[in-house]
Structures are given as C-alpha cells and as structure tokens.
C-alpha cells in the first residue's frame, strides 16, 4: 500500500514540493508564509480529525502558533469550506507523518538564517511528533488488504491532503496580494 500511495500521489506531492520550495526558510517573510500555510492546513485537519490519536494535531497547531508569535506574524483564518478535506484518516496521516522525511532538508534551509526571529521560531520544525507517528502509519498500511475501494479511498485522501497544503500556501500568498479582504 505504501508503494501504491507513493506512486499514485507522486504528481500532487511534486506540486506541493515545488510550491513550498519557492520559499526561502532562512528569510523572515518566507518562513512566516511557510508557518502560516502549515498552521492553516493543520487547523483545518484538527477540526476534521479531532478524535484521532495517531498524531496530536492540537499540539502541532500550538507549536505553529508559538512560532508565529515568535515571528510576530499574524495567524490567518481561512473559510474552512474553501479548503480541501481529506475524508480518510489513514491517507491523511500517511502524508502528514511521511512529511518528516523532508524535515532534514527544511531544517538545513531554516538553519542558514541569520534572523533572530526565524531562529526563535523553530518549535514546529524541531518537533518529533511527525516522526513518532510514522511507525504506526506504516503498521496500519501494512494491514490494508488489496482492494480497489480501499486503495482508492486512501489514495484520494492522501491526494486531498497534499492539495490542502498547496491551497493553504496559495491562500497565504493571496492574502498578501489583497485577494482576500
């Protein structure tokens, strides 16, 4: 199932990576955008998966809010209905927990900053919450029997999670350009 997810979501994953790669995490304004977009996405997911225990989304949201406070960046609010909503917890968790693999690259980019505010705002990036959730996700995926319906539901949810992070960044950029008043 992991291989299927990786293959079937490659396009949406690449789109998100390309969008976020445009941000220089050592730059104060770009790092604030990164944090704001992640905060929007995790807040949205927190409301959808409030009762799940595989990953403490509330704690991640708090870490992001702490970092935004350190950056003196506003916490943005989006119309939740305008953001994509994954409907399968496991497909969503695959994307969230799996994102810890890219964390080394992000931490390297972030660590190059000479900005004191950026350096103080590393709680989210330095958290082990995503990595800690990965083994449970792998175990759950290993237990999924082959079947078109399950595969479709989980893959669709993973795609929608990637889309959520993409749309959250587009929203942040749109706010800056005055598209949302």
């Amino acid at each position: 199932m992991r291989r299927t997810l990786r293959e079937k979501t490659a396009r949406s994953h690449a789109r998100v990576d390309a969008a976020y790669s445009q941000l220089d995490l050592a730059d104060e304004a770009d790092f604030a955008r990164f944090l704001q977009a992640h905060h929007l996405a995790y807040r949205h997911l927190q409301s959808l998966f409030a009762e799940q225990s595989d990953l403490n989304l509330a704690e991640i949201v708090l870490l992001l809010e702490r970092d935004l406070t350190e950056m003196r960046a506003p916490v943005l609010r989006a119309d939740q209905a305008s953001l994509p909503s994954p409907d399968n917890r496991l497909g969503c968790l695959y994307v969230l927990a799996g994102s810890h693999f890219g964390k080394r690259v992000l931490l390297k980019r972030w660590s190059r900053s000479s900005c004191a505010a950026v350096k103080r705002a590393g709680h989210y990036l330095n958290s082990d919450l995503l990595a800690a959730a990965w083994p449970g996700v792998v175990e759950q995926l290993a237990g999924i029997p082959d079947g078109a319906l399950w595969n479709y539901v989980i893959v669709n949810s993973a795609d929608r999670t990637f889309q959520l992070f993409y749309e959250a960044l587009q929203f942040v950029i749109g706010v800056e350009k005055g598209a949302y008043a």
Side-chain angles (χ1 to χ4, degrees), residues 2 13-14 43 56 81 86 133 137 148 156-157 165 172:
R2 283 173 51 201
H13 189 174
R43 257 190 87 245
N56 189 337
V137 172
N156 185 53
S157 186
F165 278 85
V172 169

Side-chain angles (χ1 to χ4, degrees), residues 100-115:
H100 86 276
F101 289 111
K103 191 175 181 179
R104 274 187 293 190
V105 172
L106 297 176
L107 281 168
K108 186 176 180 179
R109 291 177 185 165
W110 169 80
S111 69
R112 293 181 184 145
S113 183
S114 60
C115 175

